[in-house]
Amino acid sequence: MKWEIAPKLRADLVCYAGINLSGERRVVDIHVVSGRQGAQIPTAELKSLAFIAPLGTRLILKTSDGDDWEEHPWRCIRVMKGSCFRNKNGEYVVRVPDLETLDKPDAQRTDPEHEESYPLVERVKDGTGWTFGRLGDLKGRVTVIAIEKEG
């Protein structure tokens, strides 16, 4: 797994090997000074996640490492006002109980009665809302995790 992390950024990424925030749990801490610390995330074991970051931060899950990554499946998850919740520490959180379906940003489980894809766009710059991406299999195929500030 390759990481692309913007400088001077603070975030936490909690990854799960199963859908619905289940299975083996791996935590990665992104620190302003010391960079990324914590568990390695095997590609095959990333099926759901929780992203804890300041407002205006986005996480992009990419299935390609090349310059043409937007031509391959990817998903952007944004921490934005009205589309996140605060945990007990007051931090902003977005949950994704299944990398390939759209659920509410505070959902702990995906709704099997109401499965739909996240909004589809060609490029990150075309996306609106808290999540969007390019259709395709993400589970077991994410090779790059990018964390950056918006704008």
Side-chain angles (χ1 to χ4, degrees):
M1 182 85 58
K2 180 179 175 187
W3 293 82
E4 298 173 352
I5 302 170
K8 299 182 181 178
L9 193 95
R10 172 72 183 108
D12 292 313
L13 183 61
V14 184
C15 301
Y16 297 89
I19 63 168
N20 298 324
L21 310 174
S22 67
E24 188 169 348
R25 177 180 186 258
R26 298 172 191 259
V27 179
V28 177
D29 298 317
I30 312 298
H31 295 281
V32 174
V33 176
S34 56
R36 180 175 59 88
Q37 297 179 345
Q40 293 294 325
I41 310 298
T43 296
E45 294 183 17
L46 177 56
K47 297 191 173 91
S48 59
L49 61 85
F51 183 46
I52 305 160
L55 293 174
T57 307
R58 69 182 175 198
L59 167 74
I60 304 173
L61 305 171
K62 305 175 184 180
T63 61
S64 174
D65 185 20
D67 290 337
D68 66 342
W69 67 268
E70 287 179 302
E71 302 299 320
H72 303 273
W74 56 271
R75 183 172 181 179
C76 179
I77 298 144
R78 301 168 65 205
V79 180
M80 55 189 292
K81 200 167 214 149
S83 296
C84 60
F85 68 96
R86 286 183 173 234
N87 64 14
K88 64 183 176 185
N89 297 325
E91 301 164 310
Y92 294 101
V93 181
V94 175
R95 289 190 195 120
V96 180
D98 187 331
L99 296 186
E100 296 173 7
T101 62
L102 177 65
D103 292 286
K104 294 178 182 176
D106 63 346
Q108 290 185 323
R109 302 184 63 77
T110 193
D111 183 355
E113 302 285 322
H114 184 73
E115 279 191 13
E116 68 179 274
S117 175
Y118 44 84
L120 305 178
V121 297
E122 294 294 316
R123 308 269 176 241
V124 171
K125 67 180 182 178
D126 300 330
T128 60
W130 75 273
T131 189
F132 48 84
R134 185 174 186 94
L135 189 61
D137 295 333
L138 290 172
K139 288 184 273 199
R141 295 190 60 219
V142 173
T143 59
V144 179
I145 296 177
I147 302 175
E148 54 195 35
K149 296 178 184 175
E150 299 259 21

